[in-house]
Amino acid sequence: VSNAGVGMAGPLECQSLAAMQSLMDTNFFGLVRLVKEVLPDMKRRRGGHIVVISSIMGLQGIVFNDIYSASKFAVEGFCESLVVQALRFNVAISLVEPGPVMTEFETKLYEEAERADYSRTDPETAEIFTKLYLRNSKDVFASLGQTPEDIAEHTLRVIEAPRPPFRHQTNVAYTPMAALKHADPSGALVTDAFYKLVFKYDAVLRLGLR
């Protein structure tokens, strides 16, 4: 089970390349290093199961989560490319894709965001992040967030499945979001929907979550 991960949220201009590279080293290359270690023996045994804790953000990018989403997209692409070869050797790969999970991980992320220096971005972007994103995000976690124990139960079900699924989303509230992206290959539908949620109907979104 590959579960190591770090988060990053905020305006792109405020994040250093060194911090981005460090995140990718944990979230993506950490997984790659693990798989390189365990896969050869699984191939020799002709059996095994690699379970990867991914994220719904590996399927749909979320505003102000550019680098974190990119790391999870990389995880998804890596596993999707590898799974066909792995199946030849009777090795299963499963992606567990949670939405928001209520842990110290998120608490720390909010604390860092609230005391961050936004002088490297424009005032409008800084205000959108601090006044809209952080507020809406807290409402999302309060309303839709799962406990770590819930994610553990989902992961156990994936591990124990007679035929392990390649993808397993833990929160049904996010199924429409993933479906919306696939409904329109041009991307216009989901982009327009998210733009309106963030910039036009954010008050309605918060009210609905509460």
Side-chain angles (χ1 to χ4, degrees):
V1 178
S2 175
N3 185 45
V6 293
M8 179 183 286
L12 185 65
E13 306 95 310
C14 299
Q15 298 161 348
S16 71
L17 282 175
M20 297 177 194
Q21 289 168 336
S22 177
L23 180 144
M24 292 297 292
D25 191 51
T26 299
N27 291 9
F28 176 62
F29 288 107
L31 167 64
V32 173
R33 286 191 290 268
L34 176 65
V35 172
K36 279 175 64 68
E37 287 295 323
V38 302
L39 187 60
D41 189 54
M42 289 181 174
K43 283 182 171 181
R44 280 191 291 270
R45 292 202 316 263
R46 297 256 165 189
H49 189 188
I50 298 169
V51 180
V52 181
I53 307 301
S54 181
S55 170
I56 197 70
M57 283 196 234
L59 299 176
Q60 173 62 56
I62 301 294
V63 63
F64 290 119
N65 284 269
D66 323 275
I67 307 305
Y68 180 77
S69 288
S71 73
K72 292 301 184 177
F73 267 75
V75 164
E76 294 271 335
F78 172 71
C79 292
E80 193 170 281
S81 298
L82 195 61
V83 67
V84 174
Q85 178 203 148
L87 285 173
R88 175 72 178 179
F89 294 88
N90 196 37
V91 175
I93 296 176
S94 296
L95 289 157
V96 178
E97 299 164 333
V101 184
M102 296 175 290
T103 66
E104 291 180 7
F105 180 101
E106 298 301 330
T107 304
K108 182 182 176 185
L109 206 60
Y110 286 130
E111 289 173 352
E112 290 175 352
E114 286 174 352
R115 64 172 180 263
D117 176 15
Y118 299 110
S119 61
R120 284 173 290 173
T121 190
D122 60 278
E124 185 177 358
T125 299
E127 184 175 7
I128 291 168
F129 178 66
T130 57
K131 300 289 175 64
L132 281 180
Y133 172 80
L134 289 180
R135 184 173 54 178
N136 288 345
S137 186
K138 287 177 181 178
D139 286 344
V140 166
F141 271 84
S143 176
L144 302 177
Q146 294 177 273
T147 65
E149 291 77 14
D150 194 16
I151 304 304
E153 289 292 337
H154 277 273
T155 304
L156 182 61
R157 289 203 291 273
V158 168
I159 291 170
E160 293 180 336
R163 297 188 65 180
F166 176 56
R167 285 193 169 95
H168 176 81
Q169 293 174 25
T170 68
N171 194 327
V172 294
Y174 284 82
T175 303
M177 185 175 78
L180 195 63
K181 182 172 181 177
H182 291 289
D184 177 16
S186 78
L189 189 62
V190 72
T191 302
D192 183 60
F194 270 91
Y195 181 87
K196 286 175 178 173
L197 275 176
V198 173
F199 294 114
K200 289 189 174 183
Y201 308 125
D202 67 293
V204 176
L205 170 65
R206 290 198 311 277
L207 183 63
L209 289 168
R210 287 171 184 168

